[in-house]
């Protein structure tokens, strides 16, 4: 099978930051699959599971903060827990879909740059000007991007994409669907490798 | 450092069943550490984190049921979701400490046999006679074991061990503490390997 790997994530999710660094390489190595990136509003998804952001949960939140730092070290990735965290990542998510409609590769570069800006540099990606600057750095027109993010059609688009994710069974971030099979978490990437190698169960 | 690896688990936890198969081998391969097994009452631990059993959570529960089956397949382990699940695993946990006070190796064999009885054979390990039979199969006296499980001192012991785990920062199952560093989940065993290999961060 050669269907794309669907990769659902929220820009505010540390484990998505870690997964985003790996999934394209895994898809390439095992079967040369395309990866479709789908930013979503995790807050909406969590309503369906009655879940809370990790950082807001007693004890689990403290464990997670430690686990992210260790994960970054073991994956050799820069890491700094942002001052403002978690965030509603509307601006980068909307910008992503606007870019993706023109150029999917550019949109992925933009997404990686947003993750880096937020989790490595501590920049505030809820700010449209910051997001426009990140877009400009990967070759977008900053003014067009700013306008697009304010556009009603793009706002609806992000809602539709989030709703479609919920309908597809997405319950967290990062979340992957491969040939209809669901994988939740950056710590399930080894299973995705198995799946691609074995061609299923 | 050569301190033991502390391995906390509930006999009712599928991810602990998967981790129990691996942790001794990892400890042996990287530095020859001892592993101290600590059965605990996960329900008590979950009160401290306001958590719920996975199987009782909307959507997450369904995902977990699928994930356990896939995990078993990918780890080449027998698996059958028990009819009665999750359970209060008082009988095997109490029996474990009674055996461990006499023979730690026998206690680990007993623990592995309980996991297998519950998750591979679907036997009801809340039943004292079943637990006594499992104990007998690893060399214990079944009558002594039955008596021990009903003993107040052993009942208190399990409470004390659970409370000590909560004090040590245990918030789930399986949970590992290595040189004071916490690792939660069967999917953190790769990190424990890194930790042992690197001798820390």
């Amino acid at each position: 099978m050669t269907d794309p790997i669907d990769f659902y994530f929220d820009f505010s999710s540390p484990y998505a930051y870690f997964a985003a660094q790996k999934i394209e390489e895994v898809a390439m190595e095992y079967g040369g699959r395309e990866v479709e990136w789908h930013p979503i509003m995790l807050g909406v998804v969590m309503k369906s599971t009655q879940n809370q952001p990790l950082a807001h949960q007693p004890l689990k939140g403290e464990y997670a903060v430690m686990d992210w730092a260790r994960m970054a070290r073991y994956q050799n990735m820069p890491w700094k827990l942002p001052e403002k965290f978690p965030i509603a990542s509307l601006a980068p998510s909307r910008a992503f879909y606007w870019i993706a409609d023109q150029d999917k590769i550019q949109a992925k570069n933009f997404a990686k740059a947003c993750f880096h800006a937020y989790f490595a540099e501590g920049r505030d990606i809820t700010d449209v000007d910051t997001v426009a600057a990140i877009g400009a750095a990967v070759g977008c027109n900053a003014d067009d991007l700013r306008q697009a993010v304010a556009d009603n059609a793009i706002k609806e688009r992000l809602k539709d994409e989030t709703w479609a994710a919920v309908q597809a069974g997405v319950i967290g971030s990062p979340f992957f669907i491969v040939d209809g099979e669901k994988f939740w978490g950056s710590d399930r990437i080894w299973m995705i490798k198995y799946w691609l190698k074995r061609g299923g169960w």
Side-chain angles (χ1 to χ4, degrees), chain A:
Chain A
M1 287 176 281
T2 53
D3 288 345
I5 293 171
D6 288 300
F7 168 34
Y8 300 89
F9 62 95
D10 189 306
F11 281 109
S12 182
S13 159
Y15 291 120
Y17 165 62
F18 299 124
Q21 191 212 30
K22 288 187 159 179
I23 190 62
E24 289 285 346
E25 196 185 315
V26 168
M28 191 57 69
E29 192 178 341
Y30 298 87
R33 302 273 189 121
E34 281 291 314
V35 182
E36 285 276 356
W37 293 41
H38 306 270
I40 54 169
M41 294 183 286
L42 189 58
V44 173
V45 171
M46 281 181 167
K47 279 187 192 148
S48 70
T49 58
Q50 297 167 24
N51 211 342
Q52 287 282 324
L54 268 173
H56 295 172
Q57 294 180 42
L59 302 174
K60 277 177 87 166
E62 289 161 47
Y63 176 86
V65 167
M66 181 278 292
D67 195 49
W68 296 326
R70 190 170 56 194
M71 187 77 88
R73 186 173 286 235
Y74 284 7
Q75 279 194 205
N76 282 315
M77 293 174 71
W79 172 257
K80 197 165 66 175
L81 186 68
E83 276 182 41
K84 210 167 135 184
F85 174 83
I87 51 165
S89 51
L90 298 170
S93 302
R94 289 172 184 161
F96 176 93
Y97 286 112
W98 174 72
I99 302 168
D101 283 344
Q102 307 160 63
D103 185 335
K104 282 190 179 186
I105 303 289
Q106 193 176 45
K108 290 182 191 182
N109 289 338
F110 168 78
K112 288 177 205 165
C114 286
F115 273 130
H116 189 273
Y118 186 49
F119 289 116
E121 302 172 57
R123 288 162 72 191
D124 179 5
I125 60 169
T126 64
D127 177 60
V128 177
D129 289 332
T130 302
V131 171
I134 295 167
V138 298
C140 306
N141 181 296
D143 289 331
D144 291 352
L145 187 149
R146 248 186 300 258
Q147 266 193 322
V149 166
D151 190 79
N152 274 331
I154 281 288
K155 290 181 181 178
E156 285 303 311
R157 172 70 175 281
L158 177 57
K159 285 183 204 165
D160 292 346
E161 295 276 356
T162 300
W163 182 237
V166 170
Q167 294 295 99
V170 172
I171 54 173
S173 168
F175 202 98
F176 303 91
I177 301 183
V178 188
D179 308 328
E181 184 81 359
K182 293 167 192 146
F183 300 88
W184 180 13
S186 66
D187 46 30
R188 284 297 176 274
I189 288 182
W190 69 271
M191 281 189 169
I192 297 177
K193 286 186 195 175
Y194 265 47
W195 181 273
L196 295 173
K197 198 156 59 174
R198 296 158 64 123
W201 274 69

